[in-house]
C-alpha cells in the first residue's frame, strides 16, 4: 500500500532558501516515483498481472499529488526574496514538474497496453520482441539518466539525455517500418499493430518529456537561451557540448 506522500510544510515559506531546497527534494522524489512506474509498466508488457496495473496507477496518482502540492507551494514562493540560484531552481521546478507527471501518465498507457495484449491474447513475434527490447532499454536509460541528473543537478549527465532521446526517435521509426514489412508479408496482425502504436507513442513521448527536463536544466545553467534555441544550437554544432552530443548520439545508435 502506498503511503500518501509527505507534502510541503507551509511554514517553511518564511525561510525561502529552505523552502526551495525542500521543494527540490519533493520534485526528485516525484521523478523517482515516475521512473518506478515506467519500469513496472514495461515489465507488464511481458508478464501482465492486474495487481501490477493497480500499482502503476497508484504510482501515477502519487505523482499527481506531488504535482498539485509542488505547484501551489512554488507559486507561493514566487513573491519571496530569493537568491539568483534559488530563483533559477524554483523556475526549473515550475517548468519541469508537468513533464515528470506526464511520464507517469505514459507508464499507465503502457501498462494498459500490456492488459490489452493479455486480454486479447496478442503475442509479439520473437523478432518484434527483440526490437522492442532495444527500444525499451533506450527509454529506460533516457528516463534513468534524466532522473539521476535532476536529483543530483548533474549537468554533464543532463547533456547526455538529448542524444539518447534522438536515438529513441530513430528506434521508434525503425520498429514501425519493420512492423509494416511484417504486416505486408502476413507475419503480423493488424490487432498487434494497434497495441504497438500505443506502446511506441508512449515511449517516444516519455523520451520527449525527458528532453524537456534536461534542456530546462541546461539552459537555466547557461542562463540565457530559450529551450528551442538551445536545442537548435546544440544540434547545429554551435555550443561546446555539440561535439559530445554528436559522439553520444552515434554511440547510442550503434548500441
Amino acid at each position: 500500500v502506498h503511503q500518501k506522500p509527505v507534502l510541503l510544510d507551509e511554514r517553511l515559506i518564511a525561510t525561502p532558501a529552505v523552502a526551495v531546497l525542500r521543494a527540490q527534494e519533493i520534485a526528485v522524489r516525484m521523478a523517482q516515483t515516475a521512473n518506478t512506474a515506467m519500469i513496472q509498466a514495461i515489465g507488464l508488457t511481458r508478464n501482465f498481472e492486474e495487481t501490477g496495473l493497480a500499482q502503476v496507477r497508484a504510482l501515477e496518482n502519487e505523482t499527481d499529488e506531488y504535482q498539485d502540492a509542488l505547484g501551489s507551494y512554488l507559486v507561493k514562493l514566487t513573491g519571496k526574496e530569493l537568491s539568483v540560484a534559488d530563483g533559477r531552481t524554483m523556475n526549473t521546478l515550475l517548468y519541469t514538474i508537468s513533464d515528470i507527471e506526464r511520464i507517469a501518465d505514459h507508464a499507465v498507457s503502457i501498462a494498459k497496453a500490456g492488459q490489452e495484449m493479455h486480454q486479447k491474447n496478442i503475442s509479439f513475434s520473437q523478432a518484434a520482441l527483440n526490437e522492442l527490447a532495444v527500444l525499451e532499454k533506450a527509454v529506460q536509460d533516457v528516463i534513468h539518466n534524466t532522473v539521476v541528473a535532476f536529483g543530483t543537478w548533474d549537468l554533464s549527465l543532463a547533456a547526455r539525455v538529448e542524444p539518447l532521446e534522438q536515438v529513441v526517435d530513430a528506434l521508434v521509426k525503425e520498429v514501425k517500418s519493420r512492423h509494416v514489412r511484417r504486416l505486408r508479408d502476413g507475419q503480423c496482425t493488424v490487432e498487434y499493430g494497434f497495441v504497438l502504436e500505443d506502446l511506441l507513442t508512449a515511449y517516444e513521448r516519455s523520451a520527449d518529456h525527458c528532453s524537456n527536463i534536461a534542456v530546462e536544466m541546461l539552459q537555466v545553467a547557461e542562463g540565457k537561451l530559450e529551450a528551442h534555441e538551445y536545442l537548435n544550437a546544440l544540434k547545429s554544432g554551435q555550443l561546446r557540448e555539440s561535439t559530445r552530443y554528436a559522439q553520444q548520439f552515434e554511440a547510442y545508435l550503434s548500441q
Side-chain angles (χ1 to χ4, degrees), residues 104-125:
D105 285 346
H106 293 309
V108 173
S109 301
I110 291 162
K112 280 158 74 175
Q115 182 185 42
E116 187 180 348
M117 286 156 64
H118 176 71
Q119 286 173 346
K120 295 182 179 173
N121 210 10
I122 300 168
S123 56
F124 290 1
S125 67

Side-chain angles (χ1 to χ4, degrees), residues 54-99:
Q55 277 180 330
V56 172
R57 286 189 197 277
L59 290 165
E60 192 273 327
N61 285 335
E62 211 170 298
T63 61
D64 284 346
E65 287 169 16
Y66 281 132
Q67 184 184 18
D68 291 345
L70 275 166
S72 55
Y73 192 75
L74 290 165
V75 167
K76 285 178 185 138
L77 267 174
T78 48
K80 303 288 173 189
E81 283 282 314
L82 291 171
S83 69
V84 173
D86 283 344
R88 283 180 177 178
T89 301
M90 189 189 69
N91 280 336
T92 304
L93 294 178
L94 271 170
Y95 277 112
T96 51
I97 53 175
S98 60
D99 283 300

Side-chain angles (χ1 to χ4, degrees), residues 229-247:
E229 290 172 11
Y230 180 87
L231 269 185
N232 291 341
L234 183 67
K235 289 176 190 170
S236 61
Q238 295 164 20
L239 299 178
R240 64 173 184 276
E241 292 107 318
S242 294
T243 331
R244 201 165 67 227
Y245 167 84
Q247 288 166 346

Side-chain angles (χ1 to χ4, degrees), residues 136-147:
E136 286 159 356
K137 171 76 168 71
V139 170
Q140 285 177 317
D141 282 353
V142 76
I143 296 173
H144 174 77
N145 285 356
T146 305
V147 171

Side-chain angles (χ1 to χ4, degrees), residues 143-191:
I143 296 173
H144 174 77
N145 285 356
T146 305
V147 171
V148 173
F150 187 69
T152 55
W153 212 253
D154 181 339
L155 295 175
S156 69
L157 187 56
R160 285 163 61 179
V161 169
E162 183 57 29
L164 190 43
E165 186 269 333
Q166 294 289 301
V167 170
V168 169
D169 285 352
L171 287 171
V172 165
K173 283 194 184 77
E174 184 61 26
V175 171
K176 277 183 183 172
S177 70
R178 290 185 181 202
H179 167 66
V180 170
R181 280 205 297 273
R182 281 196 289 270
L183 201 56
R184 225 175 24 223
D185 301 341
Q187 297 171 346
C188 260
T189 64
V190 173
E191 190 106 76

